[in-house]
Amino acid sequence: MSTTPPVLAAELAQAWADIQRHHPELPDLAAPESLIGESSSACGAELSFERLLHEAVHGIAAARGVRDTSRAGRYHNRRFLAIAEEMGLDHPEEPHASSGFSLVTLNPEAKRRYRPTIERLQRALRAHTVATAADTKRSFRGPAARHGSSGGGVRVKAVCDCGRNVRVVPSVLAQAPIVCGGCGKPFRIPETVGAAG
């Protein structure tokens, strides 16, 4: 059973749709819940609209067939930066040594454009924080949770019967099914015999 409030997943999906209205080439978000609780030092650990827009940059890069990162997705290159600028994200003058141009922020025009979306998402995130705070006080969630991680951060390939795949932290997939936007079936981690997937 999922511990994610349905309101937060719905608001994430709505915020993504709001971004798509301004950037129609952005692919659909297959599983909003995959963004909840996920930690990434390159992309920012805290879920916010800014983080969602950052992820949308990656979505557009994928749709265009642009390789926007290197070093296992940690280093965000100038191709990432170009798309980020198109989408209303500002950046530091110089890249960070290990994460490149990952530390982007909303520019004033994007803040105005997305103000209602940002406010809705912030309300849903606050409600999610309140709803999960009681859970963390009484439940042992392991050492990774105590250090702000999503459960180790090691992503594995989850596949769908239609041939699509995503990289996901197994604990996120265990919270609730992640459903393919193409065929509507759930992604699953394939069983491997004698080899890592």
Side-chain angles (χ1 to χ4, degrees), residues 7 38 86 130 133:
V7 171
E38 189 173 306
E86 287 177 38
V130 168

Side-chain angles (χ1 to χ4, degrees), residues 25 29 49 60 95 98 124 131-132 162 183 186:
E25 69 184 303
L29 181 61
F49 182 77
I60 287 181
S98 63
T132 57
C162 73
C183 70

Side-chain angles (χ1 to χ4, degrees), residues 40 46 76 82 96 98 119 142-143 151 156 160 162 177 184 186 188 195 197:
S40 167
E46 188 173 315
H76 293 61
H96 185 273
S98 63
E119 290 171 356
V156 297
C160 176
C162 73
R188 59 184 168 67

Side-chain angles (χ1 to χ4, degrees), residues 97-137:
S98 63
S99 62
F101 293 102
S102 68
L103 302 175
V104 290
T105 57
L106 284 168
N107 69 28
E109 181 185 333
K111 284 179 184 177
R112 282 191 298 278
R113 176 186 311 138
Y114 293 112
R115 181 176 323 251
T117 304
I118 293 167
E119 290 171 356
R120 279 194 330 264
L121 187 57
Q122 284 174 338
R123 282 192 300 273
L125 286 166
R126 281 193 298 271
H128 174 71
T129 300
V130 168
T132 57
D135 177 47
T136 59
K137 288 182 177 118

Side-chain angles (χ1 to χ4, degrees), residues 29-31 159-165 177-187:
L29 181 61
V159 297
C160 176
D161 292 338
C162 73
R164 297 178 74 204
N165 65 69
I178 297 176
V179 179
C180 175
C183 70
K185 293 184 180 175
F187 283 95

